[in-house]
Amino acid sequence: MNVVNTHITRAKDLLFTSDVARDTAHLYDKVKTVIPEIEWPVFAPLIARINQLKKEKNAVILGHNYMTPEIFHCISDITGDSLALARSAVKVDADMIVMAGVHFMAETAKLLNPAKKVLIPDLGAGCTLAESITPEDVRKLKAQYPGIPVVTYVNTSAAVKAECDICCTSGNAKEIVEGLGVPRVIMLPDEYLALNTAKQVSCEIITWKGRCVVHETFTPQDIRGLRDSNPGVVVLAHPECAPEVVAEADYAGSTAGMVDYVKKFKPRKTVLITECSMSDNVAAEYPELEFVRPCNLCPFMKKIELTNILHTLEAEQHEVTIAPEIAARARVSVERMLTGWKP
Ligand code: 13P
Ligand code: SF4
């Protein structure tokens, strides 16, 4: 029987000893340009304990690009955009997965790893896109547009995925929609991602009114203002931004797409029109490049912290479960995205 030790360590009981300083020095080296030295004694003991617990419990942490640098660079085993996290979840060789991301990402990991324990440090780590649509809404749309394939963004609940034909992410939306080879598709729930994708494909896209609370706030005037105050800056935007914002950018792509752009072109000065922590994580990797950082936090991603990751691992708490009949249908939508499908 698996007996779980539910002792919860208080952060203040973890000390920045000389052993902790030595064992975490290589990790501080990765984030030293974005985390002030004075803050490291607070993070380091938590990081050391989390990394020790991961080994003891054969757990892996999947860290989304929007995690803060101490989570992203110092305790995550696999990092990336939601597509990369879904792809890697299929290959995870561990007993336990901790999702350092939001709830729909944890559900996707669970769909692809039904036998593994999938944990999320805070069950309140939601997403305004996922909340914008219910399974009932999808059933009504399907009745309104019979026979039209339904593509759902992964930023949805498993129950919504179960009603749809195939998933997509911002990293593969164009390929998935085009790959269906049909004249009309329904694309849910992000209206802006759907409108941005519609500009890249030849078929008609029926949209839904979902919005990301982080990306909907950027305006074309913001981009023009950033260019005025930073001559020559390269603007990279997430396709959850409005089409008018994407039109002002030099490139639009998923969070991983933006990282790849920086890696490939190494612009001298870049602004990432997306969540704040992403710029910190990329800046930590490229200290020689300059990043302008207009800050727009995702309140849901920011619910994930070192302290609740530690508690999740210790108590094996906040397990993500999906009713079997929903999971079976939702898994089909996710697997079709990963392996390909035509209606
Ligand atoms: P990515 O798939 O680009 O990582 O986006 C996920 C997300 O939630 C963006 O807001
Ligand atoms: Fe959802 Fe937007 Fe937060 Fe991404 S950034 S998790 S889309 S609310």
Side-chain angles (χ1 to χ4, degrees):
M1 197 174 63
N2 178 18
V3 179
V4 180
N5 173 9
T6 52
H7 168 75
I8 300 292
T9 306
R10 291 175 306 177
K12 71 180 174 63
D13 295 337
L14 290 171
L15 302 176
F16 187 56
T17 60
S18 52
D19 283 353
V20 169
R22 187 199 56 229
D23 294 347
T24 57
H26 65 295
L27 297 173
Y28 186 61
D29 208 42
K30 289 192 194 183
V31 292
K32 63 177 187 270
T33 55
V34 290
I35 297 182
E37 206 172 342
I38 197 164
E39 288 178 20
W40 189 243
V42 177
F43 292 138
L46 284 158
I47 288 168
R49 179 74 186 121
I50 289 168
N51 284 334
Q52 180 193 2
L53 265 178
K54 279 195 313 190
K55 280 195 201 133
E56 285 170 24
K57 300 207 170 203
N58 191 25
V60 297
I61 297 182
L62 306 190
H64 185 260
N65 286 329
Y66 292 164
M67 289 296 106
T68 46
E70 70 283 2
I71 296 176
F72 186 85
H73 286 291
C74 303
I75 58 162
S76 297
D77 300 285
I78 296 164
T79 54
D81 65 353
S82 41
L83 181 60
L85 296 185
R87 281 202 180 122
S88 58
V90 185
K91 301 177 207 140
V92 162
D93 181 20
D95 296 322
M96 204 183 287
I97 296 174
V98 176
M99 176 55 71
V102 290
H103 194 261
F104 75 80
M105 295 175 180
E107 277 194 333
T108 306
K110 180 67 185 176
L111 289 173
L112 297 169
N113 290 279
K116 295 198 167 93
K117 197 177 241 189
V118 176
L119 306 170
I120 184 153
D122 187 323
L123 284 166
C127 168
T128 54
L129 284 170
E131 280 157 24
S132 72
I133 191 157
T134 66
E136 184 53 26
D137 293 326
V138 185
R139 285 193 287 272
K140 281 188 188 150
L141 268 172
K142 286 198 290 189
Q144 198 182 338
Y145 298 101
I148 307 291
V150 185
V151 180
T152 181
Y153 196 24
V154 280
N155 296 41
T156 45
S157 66
V160 163
K161 289 183 177 78
E163 297 296 332
C164 298
D165 294 303
I166 184 167
C167 287
C168 75
T169 72
S170 55
N172 62 11
K174 176 178 178 268
E175 289 71 28
I176 296 287
V177 170
E178 253 176 3
L180 297 176
V182 294
R184 254 181 138 191
V185 302
I186 300 170
M187 193 171 174
L188 310 168
D190 186 355
E191 186 181 23
Y192 289 158
L193 178 68
L195 293 173
N196 287 320
T197 306
K199 289 194 160 65
Q200 304 176 300
V201 297
S202 52
C203 64
E204 185 196 343
I205 297 187
I206 298 157
T207 64
W208 183 252
K209 283 254 177 267
R211 298 282 167 80
C212 161
V213 68
V214 172
H215 295 94
E216 71 171 349
T217 57
F218 292 107
T219 65
Q221 292 86 322
D222 290 340
I223 313 294
R224 290 196 281 270
L226 281 161
R227 286 197 194 277
D228 285 347
S229 43
N230 299 277
V233 72
V234 169
V235 180
L236 312 182
H238 196 278
E240 288 172 10
C241 295
E244 308 80 72
V245 172
V246 167
E248 294 282 340
D250 297 298
Y251 166 86
S254 77
T255 55
M258 291 188 244
V259 176
D260 289 346
Y261 187 103
V262 173
K263 189 173 176 188
K264 189 168 172 195
F265 297 106
K266 305 237 169 36
R268 191 182 50 78
K269 200 182 218 189
T270 307
V271 59
L272 305 178
I273 304 301
T274 190
E275 212 268 353
C276 315
S277 295
M278 166 99 186
S279 307
D280 295 340
N281 291 330
V282 186
E285 249 173 275
Y286 297 96
E288 73 282 14
L289 305 178
E290 192 183 336
F291 292 86
V292 185
R293 305 185 205 183
C295 208
N296 215 353
L297 282 170
C298 171
F300 307 106
M301 291 279 183
K302 295 292 98 95
K303 284 185 184 282
I304 310 300
E305 297 172 346
L306 287 176
T307 41
N308 56 19
I309 291 174
L310 174 60
H311 296 165
T312 288
L313 273 168
E314 282 183 324
E316 297 181 22
Q317 67 183 2
H318 306 317
E319 184 169 0
V320 175
T321 55
I322 306 167
E325 68 283 5
I326 288 177
R329 290 186 294 134
R331 189 172 301 119
V332 171
S333 291
V334 177
E335 284 176 348
R336 281 174 172 172
M337 167 179 86
L338 298 175
T339 56
W341 177 74
K342 272 193 190 300

